[in-house]
Amino acid sequence: MTADHADHIDLADLADHADHADHADHADLAGRFRVLWDSIAPVGRDPGSGGYLRYAFTEPELALRDWFRAQAASRGMPVTADGNGNLFARWGHPAAGDAVLTGSHFDSVPHGGAYDGPLGIVSAFLAVDELRAAGAVPARPLVVAAFAEEEGARFGVPCLGSRLLTGALDPGRAAGLRDADGVSLAEALGDRPAGARPDLLGGFSCFVELHVEQGRALVERDAPVAVASAIWPHGRWRFDFLGEGNHAGTTLMADRRDPMLTYAFTVLAANKEARLRGAHATVGRVRVEPNATNAIPSKVTGWLDARAAEPDTLTGLVDAVRAKATERAGRDGTEVTLTEESATPLVAFDGGLGGRLAALLDAPVLPTGAGHDAGVLAGHLPTAMLFVRNPTGVSHSPAEAATDADCAAGVAALARVLEKLTCT
Ligand SMILES: [Zn+2]
């Protein structure tokens, strides 16, 4: 055996030992993740779809808030409620500023997946455990947040809690928002929302939200964790198509003014125009009047969700869909109007922070088409996001997934990031 060869074996051997230690740590962490994850897994799960019904301030989401308080208490972290439905559990001196904020949301879309939101909160508590086990002594407080109504599935305004906290949403207007049963936000909260809390927000130095990836970019890159670069500009537009309601059996085809045709054409046009631009367009919600099998509709309302990497691309997409809808309405003898219901500009996450985290973790950097509380807070604090690989790439559906090993990698990455931000 040559000396070279012996060196080679020794090094390989050492690497092998390190690998084993790494794997053992990783398996332990995956086990701890599974235990904590199982403690919330049944809450709000619909046995039929396997998806979750965790609407803000309903019984399952309130149970998760109790779980949050119990997890915080078991770690000696006092919890503050901000009067907007958001909860903050704190590790560190109550008077110390420059706190590092992490966390996410509990609420789901109807029949949503398990990971969107809760993964960021469960991972945050486990990251606290990792830091403590490693003997880390934070120089700055670490705060775990649970934000309210991020999906907007109950009151129609996404990122409701973070928008109220930052002052982006007027508390008077928010108080009057109503759910499908007519219950107002003020009734659900038990009080009028507090609105902007600069006193709380001013105590945070940065925010890092860990989230399941809502796409397959990490599968393609063969990496468990990424750092986010930006959130695409996006918005919701309502199309009102007006025609003439009439009898399905007696109205000659040539005499019809059928808004369903204009609607159908517009859905196809939105898909085509988005593909041409590398953008995203979805019509996932529609209302038909009178909604009868034997009647030509008098009115169809469709909601377009559109997103693109660049603001100009998004404007061009919506303009093109509007033009095609209007042109088609002329041929159908119908009328169409377009109303912008919400628009969120491009959010470029703090380049310095994201870059530092990507270098620290040696992780890929990805943009996302989904909105997050991190996007709202990015206007007020240096903000970053970590994404955990989702093998199906599917989100807002029971098919959303993440392996325990990848979730453990996410916790380990978050712990490293939080250690860097709180201890140095
Ligand atoms: Zn989410």
Side-chain angles (χ1 to χ4, degrees):
M1 188 184 286
T2 64
D4 270 347
H5 196 185
D7 279 347
H8 181 75
I9 285 174
D10 285 344
L11 285 175
D13 216 34
L14 279 175
D16 207 37
H17 277 298
D19 233 35
H20 280 308
D22 245 29
H23 281 159
D25 282 358
H26 210 68
D28 283 358
L29 183 50
R32 289 194 292 280
F33 171 80
R34 176 46 56 186
V35 169
L36 200 53
W37 192 247
D38 280 346
S39 68
I40 63 164
V43 182
R45 179 186 243 151
D46 180 75
S49 70
Y52 286 87
L53 303 167
R54 290 169 169 170
Y55 305 122
F57 314 115
T58 60
E59 191 261 316
E61 206 246 8
L62 293 174
L64 292 171
R65 287 164 178 273
D66 289 343
W67 176 92
F68 182 91
R69 289 177 187 280
Q71 290 300 320
S74 75
R75 291 169 175 79
M77 298 168 73
V79 173
T80 306
D82 71 348
N84 295 308
N86 306 314
L87 298 175
F88 300 95
R90 186 179 186 90
W91 174 20
H93 195 278
D98 281 349
V100 173
L101 184 67
T102 186
S104 193
H105 61 93
F106 283 126
D107 64 295
S108 74
V109 298
H111 302 280
Y115 295 89
D116 180 349
L119 182 63
I121 299 174
V122 168
S123 299
F125 281 123
L126 289 171
V128 167
D129 296 346
E130 290 299 293
L131 292 183
R132 287 179 171 177
V137 183
R140 278 173 282 283
L142 202 168
V143 176
V144 178
F147 288 105
E149 177 74 335
E150 192 273 345
E151 302 288 5
R154 183 168 178 195
F155 293 104
V157 177
C159 303
L160 182 84
S162 54
R163 283 183 211 261
L164 281 165
L165 168 70
T166 56
L169 179 63
D170 176 66
R173 198 196 133 209
L177 292 171
R178 290 187 184 277
D179 71 6
D181 297 325
V183 178
S184 73
L185 175 66
E187 287 163 347
L189 259 181
D191 204 350
R192 190 188 134 101
R197 290 288 308 271
D199 56 318
L200 263 177
L201 206 53
F204 301 133
S205 61
C206 60
F207 176 49
V208 180
E209 180 171 2
L210 178 145
H211 204 278
V212 68
E213 194 199 351
Q214 297 169 295
R216 284 175 49 85
L218 281 175
V219 174
E220 284 157 19
R221 282 170 177 75
D222 194 23
V225 176
V227 176
S229 58
I231 297 178
W232 283 13
H234 56 280
R236 298 175 181 187
W237 288 263
R238 191 183 75 241
F239 279 93
D240 290 296
F241 304 93
L242 291 173
E244 184 180 45
N246 213 330
H247 196 289
T250 60
T251 313
L252 296 178
M253 295 307 281
D255 291 346
R256 298 178 180 212
R257 298 198 292 121
D258 185 347
M260 186 66 86
L261 299 181
T262 323
Y263 161 77
F265 178 83
T266 304
V267 174
L268 296 174
N271 184 283
K272 181 176 175 184
E273 294 297 328
R275 284 169 185 271
L276 288 173
R277 290 170 173 78
H280 295 174
T282 308
V283 181
R285 182 179 163 203
V286 60
R287 192 169 62 209
V288 182
E289 297 168 33
N291 206 23
T293 307
N294 58 357
I296 299 161
S298 56
K299 182 178 180 185
V300 176
T301 306
W303 280 263
L304 170 71
D305 175 307
R307 304 165 190 243
E310 301 295 335
D312 288 353
T313 310
L314 181 61
T315 308
L317 166 62
V318 176
D319 286 349
V321 178
R322 179 197 284 116
K324 291 226 162 169
T326 305
E327 191 266 334
R328 177 74 199 200
R331 284 193 274 148
D332 292 335
T334 58
E335 286 168 35
V336 58
T337 55
L338 181 61
T339 308
E340 180 184 288
E341 291 199 333
S342 75
T344 305
L346 173 74
V347 175
F349 288 119
D350 187 277
L353 182 59
R356 273 170 67 200
L357 302 192
L360 176 71
L361 301 172
D362 191 20
V365 178
L366 303 174
T368 174
H372 299 285
D373 293 311
V376 175
L377 291 182
H380 302 264
L381 300 170
T383 297
M385 290 190 77
L386 301 180
F387 292 131
V388 172
R389 175 164 54 191
N390 174 355
T392 65
V394 174
S395 185
H396 287 185
S397 144
E400 185 181 275
T403 65
D404 287 2
D406 283 357
C407 292
V411 171
L414 183 63
R416 281 187 74 187
V417 163
L418 295 175
E419 183 183 18
K420 191 82 183 162
L421 295 173
T422 56
C423 298
T424 55

